[in-house]
Amino acid sequence: MSSFKILITSQKGGVGKSTVAANLAAFVRRLGKSVTLIDFDTHASSSNWLNRAPEIGVSVQHHLLPLEQGGKRPILDARLHLRRAAERAEVVVCDLTWTDAIASELMLEFDLVIVPTSVSEIELSATAGFLNRHRWVFDAIILHSAPMLLMCPTRVHPEQLRSDVFSNQRFPVSFMLAPPVLEAQSARDLFERGYLMDLPDACGTSFVEFGKAVMAALEMREASLVVRETQTTPANLSAIVRKPLHNPTASKTATVSSQASILGRHRLQKMRADATSGKNPSAPSQMPANSLASMRIPQFFKRMSMGMSTK
């Protein structure tokens, strides 16, 4: 069985990492895929959520990595648990708070790395620093090695959607931007009781949009691997180099508007589908009040959707 492996990680707590991990695992399971969640965190928030919420069919594991031993031991343990899970599940979701005791190369075991982040300037700056320390992973030119990187704005308040703080921050690596997951008291109330995708409010809608974006990313990953496998021959192997999702700037960094945006593609596809069915996606009167599309879309999202430059 070919398994897709997703890592949800950050070095900072309080960004909703475990919430995203538990609820993404549930979202993918409801799509009919076999899913295993591996919770590497001490507090076991994501595994507790799935173990105590209504049964949805996700296989849940909680393993503590031997971080105090240092060296290669943490990464060897993580690889062992990951590969065993991948033998039994179509999708493996890992929840891991990153520390300096973990070697960057662990990320190479995954197809998709999701980094949740708030939209505050301080948090975005810290996230950019985290990515810079591990940039070689996403710039790897070894065939099949580099995972896709997905940035996920989390716990976003509706008024923050009007901010251009994301486009003002420069990031050292190529990434895709997921739809934002909105903040809501209803989400906190669901801890160990239910799932965000079932919330009948804007937070629930936002998480469903996020889940769809993740699945689109996995489809893109699968397609790229198929293309690479069919194109890999002894004659052209040395010529294959992973191309970045953006053209490098003079400073070798990139603004978010120059990144490939899943949000932009997803919104355009949805608009085309609505147009085909006779619906007008721009008319608020034809949309539910809690739909993300009824909110004001921030300028930096618009620029990414249209492929426009911030310059």
Side-chain angles (χ1 to χ4, degrees):
M1 176 187 294
S2 177
S3 178
F4 281 108
K5 298 174 284 294
I6 303 172
L7 173 64
I8 302 175
T9 189
S10 69
Q11 279 192 308
K12 188 177 183 301
V15 294
K17 177 177 57 61
S18 294
T19 297
V20 169
N23 285 274
L24 178 61
F27 179 88
V28 177
R29 178 68 188 114
R30 189 169 286 179
L31 294 177
K33 297 183 180 296
S34 56
V35 183
T36 293
L37 172 83
I38 302 179
D39 186 352
F40 287 125
D41 280 357
T42 303
H43 298 296
S45 296
S46 58
S47 54
N48 284 341
W49 190 316
L50 288 172
N51 282 329
R52 298 173 184 177
E55 173 63 34
I56 200 168
V58 175
S59 175
V60 180
Q61 301 178 16
H62 181 219
H63 303 290
L64 295 181
L65 298 179
L67 301 178
E68 70 286 350
Q69 296 186 23
K72 290 286 186 179
R73 183 61 190 277
I75 190 172
L76 291 176
D77 274 28
R79 281 173 172 167
L80 177 63
H81 295 307
L82 178 61
R83 290 174 180 176
R84 284 178 176 173
E87 293 175 356
R88 300 177 177 85
E90 294 174 273
V91 178
V92 180
V93 178
C94 288
D95 178 9
L96 173 63
T97 298
W98 200 273
T99 75
D100 293 336
I102 304 172
S104 300
E105 61 191 271
L106 177 60
M107 294 184 186
L108 296 176
E109 298 291 324
F110 295 88
D111 296 288
L112 180 65
V113 175
I114 300 176
V115 179
T117 179
S118 74
V119 295
S120 72
E121 292 187 12
I122 293 177
E123 177 63 26
L124 287 174
S125 178
T127 300
F130 170 68
L131 295 176
N132 188 53
R133 291 191 292 276
H134 304 284
R135 63 179 300 171
W136 73 269
V137 172
F138 305 103
D139 289 337
I141 62 174
I142 303 173
L143 191 64
H144 300 312
S145 65
M148 301 176 74
L149 174 62
L150 182 65
M151 293 275 284
C152 174
T154 51
R155 296 185 171 174
V156 177
H157 294 275
E159 60 270 19
Q160 291 177 310
L161 292 174
R162 302 181 179 90
S163 171
D164 277 348
V165 64
F166 230 109
S167 60
N168 293 333
Q169 177 66 50
R170 301 181 72 83
F171 294 88
V173 294
S174 300
F175 66 92
M176 294 175 290
L177 184 67
V181 178
L182 300 187
E183 169 76 330
Q185 181 61 44
S186 59
R188 294 194 184 96
D189 293 341
L190 273 185
F191 180 61
E192 300 181 351
R193 296 177 56 194
Y195 302 104
L196 299 190
M197 58 186 167
D198 295 323
L199 285 174
D201 58 15
C203 178
T205 301
S206 72
F207 191 84
V208 170
E209 295 296 304
F210 163 73
K212 290 178 180 178
V214 171
M215 298 310 297
L218 292 182
E219 291 175 2
M220 292 169 60
R221 174 69 170 182
E222 183 176 29
S224 69
L225 292 180
V226 170
V227 170
R228 289 178 183 180
E229 289 174 357
T230 57
Q231 292 180 345
T232 302
T233 64
N236 65 11
L237 179 59
S238 61
I240 297 179
V241 176
R242 179 179 183 267
K243 296 182 178 179
L245 297 177
H246 68 285
N247 294 323
T249 63
S251 62
K252 296 184 180 180
T253 60
T255 60
V256 69
S257 62
S258 65
Q259 310 301 329
S261 169
I262 287 184
L263 174 62
R265 292 192 181 94
H266 180 67
R267 287 184 58 78
L268 289 175
Q269 291 173 356
K270 186 175 182 181
M271 291 172 66
R272 292 192 186 103
D274 287 342
T276 301
S277 63
K279 297 179 181 179
N280 181 2
S282 63
S285 60
Q286 296 183 8
M287 305 185 66
N290 63 353
S291 171
L292 278 184
S294 68
M295 297 181 180
R296 174 182 174 184
I297 303 302
Q299 289 300 315
F300 66 87
F301 281 166
K302 289 182 179 179
R303 283 196 293 269
M304 287 187 298
S305 299
M306 296 183 291
M308 296 173 62
S309 171
T310 57
K311 296 182 179 179

